[in-house]
Amino acid sequence: MKVYARITGTGSYLPEQRLTNQDMVERLAARNIETSDDWIVERTGIRSRHFAHPDSSSSDLAFQACRRALAAAGRKAADVDLIVVATSTPDMVFPSTASILQHKLTLAALADGEERGAAGCPAFDVQAVCTGFIYALTVADAMIKTGAARCALVVGAEVFSRILDFNDRTTCVLFGDGAGAVVLEATEHEGHGSGILAAEIHADGKHREILCTPGTVSGGQVLGDPTLKMDGPAVFKLAVGLLDAAARGAVEKAGLTLDDVDWLVPHQANIRIMQSTAKKLKLTDDRVIVTVHDHGNTSAASIPLALDQAVHDGRIQQGQNVLLEGVGGGFTWGAVMVRM
């Protein structure tokens, strides 16, 4: 019998504040910056995004998504023996957002009358920007397969609204805040049963400058520019080819073909990138999960957000083959082949 890591529950959370494209148009007009709903939709497919309350952090959003994922899986915080959080907008320099999330889950469990929470299990962050959830899922999968964990929370959580330059209309309209989570559990079976079948992750730092937030903290001061910078055309040109190669690699490792893929759940960055990638993979639009219009680019949160929505609206069913893929700053990219 072979050990697989199976997704047994999904959950997501979007902050209450929803900003439509018209809201963004008005916000930018106050800065004498012109844009329009048509301009944003045509170039990105985005119609709205959510911004977290100033008092909310990535761990707060992650907490809500995790509670929903645990409920969907029929698990309690005490069942969790591994927490991996993918984020580029951590609560603080340290400790990890995963550790803070762990404590919040434990406090909630105790308040609910449970004997204990998630305290004591390993909890750490993964930083691969928009590919972060793919990286985190791959790490958790490896730990489950080696017996280091049996029940993991894998989370993508971001508050990108904190690092946007609202004087740059080419980037500030693209991103939003949110969180998505899955419960990943060990299961044993022969052959290709349900679970993570294969993963493919990569990085190449020579492309770091086309998508980055170059600021840092030193001596109590911010050095450099702490807002997001992106060369859109360069990212588009690089992303489509890398996503195509990663997706094909994961499918091949799984012993499948692209015809076996029931659903593609891509990083929700830009409708043009998603459509171009699907076209290269010869996957029709009706096999691609698209949610970017609802929440914009939520970086590491976007794949689990889209996955959760498709699971809960009934599109993704048990036994189907689902291909997850992402690309982000670093430059990082990767894909995971899952049988639900």
Side-chain angles (χ1 to χ4, degrees):
M1 301 292 284
K2 187 175 181 180
V3 176
Y4 285 84
R6 182 169 61 95
I7 294 175
T8 59
T10 65
S12 62
Y13 178 76
L14 291 169
E16 290 184 7
Q17 184 185 21
R18 177 178 177 270
L19 296 170
T20 66
N21 286 345
Q22 187 56 40
D23 292 328
M24 294 299 290
V25 169
E26 294 171 5
R27 176 176 288 204
L28 294 180
R31 296 170 177 259
N32 295 317
I33 299 171
E34 292 186 5
T35 189
S36 69
D37 174 67
D38 289 342
W39 187 89
I40 298 169
V41 173
E42 179 184 349
R43 286 162 177 77
T44 70
I46 297 168
R47 295 186 179 276
S48 64
R49 73 285 296 142
H50 294 251
F51 284 178
H53 187 274
D55 293 335
S56 295
S57 62
S58 287
S59 68
D60 291 321
L61 308 190
F63 171 78
Q64 298 294 342
C66 286
R67 294 274 279 181
R68 295 173 182 181
L70 287 168
R75 292 294 184 183
K76 297 180 179 180
D79 297 321
V80 175
D81 57 10
L82 172 66
I83 301 173
V84 186
V85 174
T87 185
S88 298
T89 51
D91 288 20
M92 55 184 72
V93 174
F94 68 83
S96 69
T97 300
S99 296
I100 298 170
L101 168 64
Q102 179 189 53
H103 183 57
K104 290 178 178 179
L105 289 169
T106 296
L107 290 178
L110 296 176
D112 289 341
E114 298 175 30
E115 292 185 3
R116 63 185 185 89
C121 76
F124 56 89
D125 293 355
V126 170
Q127 210 279 52
V129 199
C130 303
T131 321
F133 184 75
I134 297 294
Y135 269 57
L137 201 60
T138 302
V139 171
D141 172 52
M143 292 184 69
I144 286 176
K145 286 179 177 176
T146 60
R150 295 286 300 177
C151 180
L153 269 174
V154 184
V155 194
E158 303 282 15
V159 285
F160 256 54
S161 60
R162 311 283 167 78
I163 59 171
L164 297 179
D165 179 358
F166 287 96
N167 290 311
D168 179 5
R169 74 166 185 168
T170 65
T171 58
C172 71
V173 300
L174 302 180
F175 296 88
D177 305 337
V182 301
V183 176
L184 203 61
E185 297 189 56
T187 182
E188 296 182 358
H189 50 75
E190 295 179 356
H192 283 180
S194 60
I196 294 178
L197 305 181
E200 183 97 358
I201 55 175
H202 301 276
D204 189 343
K206 74 181 180 183
H207 302 294
R208 64 191 179 278
E209 293 182 356
I210 66 173
L211 178 54
C212 62
T213 300
T216 188
V217 177
S218 177
Q221 301 293 322
V222 174
L223 300 183
D225 191 332
T227 60
L228 184 147
K229 308 300 174 189
M230 182 173 70
D231 181 342
V235 168
F236 182 93
K237 182 178 180 180
L238 193 60
V240 174
L242 294 178
L243 287 170
D244 175 64
R248 291 177 185 275
V251 170
E252 183 178 351
K253 281 184 179 180
L256 303 175
T257 69
L258 289 170
D259 290 336
D260 297 316
V261 175
D262 294 298
W263 293 102
L264 172 66
V265 183
H267 164 48
Q268 307 290 309
N270 178 306
I271 191 63
R272 290 182 174 182
I273 292 177
M274 290 187 281
Q275 290 175 338
S276 297
T277 303
K279 184 177 181 180
K280 286 181 73 70
L281 294 171
K282 295 182 171 58
L283 296 175
T284 55
D285 290 345
D286 59 358
R287 294 162 68 189
V288 183
I289 303 298
V290 177
T291 61
V292 69
H293 51 282
D294 289 332
H295 53 66
N297 185 342
T298 55
S299 190
S302 82
I303 293 173
L305 272 168
L307 177 65
D308 180 56
Q309 181 171 315
V311 167
H312 281 87
D313 67 23
R315 281 178 290 175
I316 293 180
Q317 301 282 333
Q318 187 173 351
Q320 290 184 330
N321 295 319
V322 179
L323 178 59
L324 314 176
E325 63 171 14
V327 62
F331 218 68
T332 62
W333 65 98
V336 171
M337 190 72 235
V338 184
R339 181 163 295 150
M340 300 297 289

